[in-house]
Amino acid sequence: MVDLGLRGRRYTTPALQRTISGTPRRFHPSEATAIATELLSETLVLPTQTSPLFHVIDPRVFERPLLDELCSLATHARLLAKSEMGARALRDLLPTRRAMLYFTQPSTRTFLSFNNACHILGMRTSEIRDPSTSSEVKGESFEDSIRTFSSYVDVIIMRTKESGRAAQAADLMNGIPRPVPVINAGSGSDQHPTQALLDIYTLQRSFEEHGGIDGKVIGMMGDLKRGRTVRSLCYLLKNYQGVRLVFIAPEQFAMQPDVKAHLDEHRIPYHETTKLDEALPALDALYVTRMQTEWDTAGESRAVDLSRFSIGAPQLARLKRDAIVMHPLPRGPEIDPSVDQDPRAMYWRQERNGMWMRAAVLIKIFGAEGRIPDAPR
Ligand code: NCD
């Protein structure tokens, strides 16, 4: 008997119409030859710009059906990975795909969750985290560097200090003969679409038994002016009915007019305040963010009395019993570590949800959703 080492594949040849899933299947040599012949004649299908999901750059393009599908794919992968057999089936989903992680701005969670999401799906990864190790120091243009990455891999996942860089890379891809998808893993203080997707997944999971995200009051607190996570999340929230937002920020770090204009356009009510204590009792979720001190030009952040935009035991006491506290992390002093013990603290689960949501995004980009075996419920 021959082990072709193939799992989770569906064959079209009538005699072979079956899904090979789970443990390695062994075949009689005559059958194995027929399968091997079929496989060799099968062309690898690569995603194109007309695929349901290609570049992930701007959260505004996401509609509710895709968000729901990504959330259920994330759950599917998460549950499947709980068993040895399920984890192996996930690893067999994309073993021929390669990803480039181009992270020239510091990152812990986004880098690790993407890297591990790739590995969970059997993908191989290359990385550049320090621009001084890339030919950009020899004067190679950003465009030429991106085009070079695309020569070797099937997806580029990138984080840059500058805004708009991922969009620029995607535009470049759209004009070349072998484009690969570009995923924005954080662009300057502008957008962070996959963080917003994982935030939606966290909200949806948390409110699963309470009517979902529709109708919820969501507070966002901290440096809303320069925080890309809250900006992207505001864009995705247009997909949910009856959501109300409360922005709790020092006046000099209030939410930017472009996001407020978007909310107005989509008739999402928002209220701005500097008084956390007054806002707390009405909230279903409080999304806390840190001061983005890396953007300071003259120590602006130091002028803020952060104690007014932080939570600890006294603030938890004013929050609903079934509300949740989120944070994209890393945290500064704005969440007291004692809050971690409270069942409403959702940020560690949010961090882990990121890996599953990023796996879902990759599954969707490569069109592998139809090849995932059922997960235990
Ligand atoms: C955020 C980021 O980098 O924008 N973190 C993350 O990706 N998990 C938030 C932050 O740095 O404050």
Side-chain angles (χ1 to χ4, degrees):
M1 298 296 261
V2 179
D3 176 8
L4 285 172
L6 303 163
R7 291 163 286 271
R9 300 192 61 100
R10 192 181 294 281
Y11 295 93
T12 48
T13 313
L16 303 172
Q17 239 171 36
R18 67 176 61 143
T19 302
I20 302 167
S21 59
T23 48
R25 281 283 316 265
R26 290 178 181 279
F27 303 94
H28 187 269
S30 61
E31 200 185 17
T33 309
I35 293 178
T37 308
E38 182 182 329
L39 269 179
L40 284 170
S41 64
E42 198 180 278
T43 313
L44 263 181
V45 182
L46 292 169
T48 66
Q49 284 100 327
T50 56
S51 304
L53 187 59
F54 192 66
H55 300 306
V56 178
I57 303 295
D58 183 340
R60 279 170 291 196
V61 304
F62 283 85
E63 301 286 348
R64 180 72 182 262
L66 182 55
L67 293 176
D68 288 347
E69 187 187 352
L70 288 171
C71 288
S72 67
L73 270 175
T75 295
H76 195 153
R78 184 170 57 79
L79 297 180
L80 206 54
K82 289 183 191 291
S83 73
E84 179 70 25
M85 200 187 258
R88 285 170 188 268
L90 284 172
R91 199 198 53 194
D92 287 336
L93 274 185
L94 296 169
T96 58
R97 308 289 81 198
R98 296 180 300 278
M100 169 81 201
L101 293 145
Y102 176 60
F103 277 58
T104 54
Q105 194 194 27
S107 173
T108 302
R109 272 149 289 270
T110 309
F111 178 83
L112 284 176
S113 63
F114 261 122
N115 203 31
N116 285 289
C118 287
H119 296 165
I120 285 169
L121 302 173
M123 295 175 68
R124 267 158 296 177
T125 51
S126 334
E127 63 188 63
I128 287 183
R129 301 201 66 179
D130 176 358
S132 72
T133 65
S134 115
S135 283
E136 282 173 274
V137 287
K138 298 182 196 163
E140 183 166 57
S141 68
F142 171 76
E143 284 83 359
D144 285 3
S145 297
I146 294 292
R147 184 152 187 182
T148 300
F149 303 153
S150 78
S151 298
Y152 304 125
V153 299
D154 304 299
V155 58
I156 297 170
I157 304 163
M158 58 185 285
R159 165 173 287 199
T160 56
K161 186 165 185 265
E162 305 80 21
S163 299
R165 281 299 212 198
Q168 200 182 333
D171 279 350
L172 171 77
M173 286 298 119
N174 292 340
I176 66 171
R178 186 191 176 276
V180 303
V182 176
I183 302 178
N184 180 0
S187 51
S189 57
D190 175 28
Q191 294 298 328
H192 194 350
T194 61
Q195 176 73 41
L197 289 171
L198 77 90
D199 293 339
I200 287 290
Y201 183 44
T202 303
L203 287 162
Q204 205 214 58
R205 282 190 72 191
S206 306
F207 299 134
E208 212 155 34
E209 318 272 291
H210 309 277
I213 301 174
D214 296 326
K216 296 296 182 289
V217 181
I218 300 172
M220 297 184 183
M221 179 169 79
D223 186 346
L224 305 183
K225 181 179 178 187
R226 305 176 298 181
R228 55 193 172 192
T229 64
V230 280
R231 292 173 54 78
S232 289
L233 183 56
C234 282
Y235 284 155
L236 286 189
L237 285 170
K238 72 156 196 279
N239 290 289
Y240 299 86
Q241 298 288 320
V243 165
R244 281 178 295 142
L245 298 176
V246 182
F247 296 140
I248 308 145
E251 266 142 22
Q252 64 273 42
F253 294 112
M255 185 56 87
Q256 297 264 25
D258 60 339
V259 174
K260 291 194 269 189
H262 175 88
L263 297 172
D264 289 337
E265 189 190 325
H266 293 276
R267 295 178 211 282
I268 302 174
Y270 61 85
H271 164 69
E272 298 184 272
T273 179
T274 54
K275 299 193 169 65
L276 172 63
D277 278 356
E278 285 176 18
L280 280 168
L283 302 180
D284 295 301
L286 175 61
Y287 192 107
V288 186
T289 67
R290 69 180 173 92
M291 293 306 294
Q292 306 277 314
T293 47
E294 64 271 40
W295 301 110
D296 282 2
T297 48
E300 301 87 306
S301 308
R302 284 201 299 274
V304 172
D305 173 7
L306 203 63
S307 66
R308 294 169 52 215
F309 304 96
S310 300
I311 70 159
Q315 289 74 27
L316 280 181
R318 296 180 64 79
L319 199 59
K320 285 184 193 171
R321 288 173 61 137
D322 55 1
I324 60 166
V325 179
M326 297 170 68
H327 193 305
L329 302 176
R331 88 172 127 189
E334 64 280 354
I335 298 188
D336 189 89
S338 67
V339 176
D340 296 10
Q341 308 307 323
D342 193 287
R344 292 169 289 185
M346 206 49 68
Y347 30 92
W348 298 114
R349 263 178 276 177
Q350 181 183 355
E351 171 174 273
R352 197 163 158 79
N353 283 340
M355 184 170 72
W356 299 117
M357 177 47 88
R358 287 170 173 133
V361 166
L362 291 164
I363 290 170
K364 189 69 193 161
I365 286 177
F366 289 108
E369 62 274 24
R371 291 195 285 115
I372 316 179
D374 288 343
R377 290 280 142 201

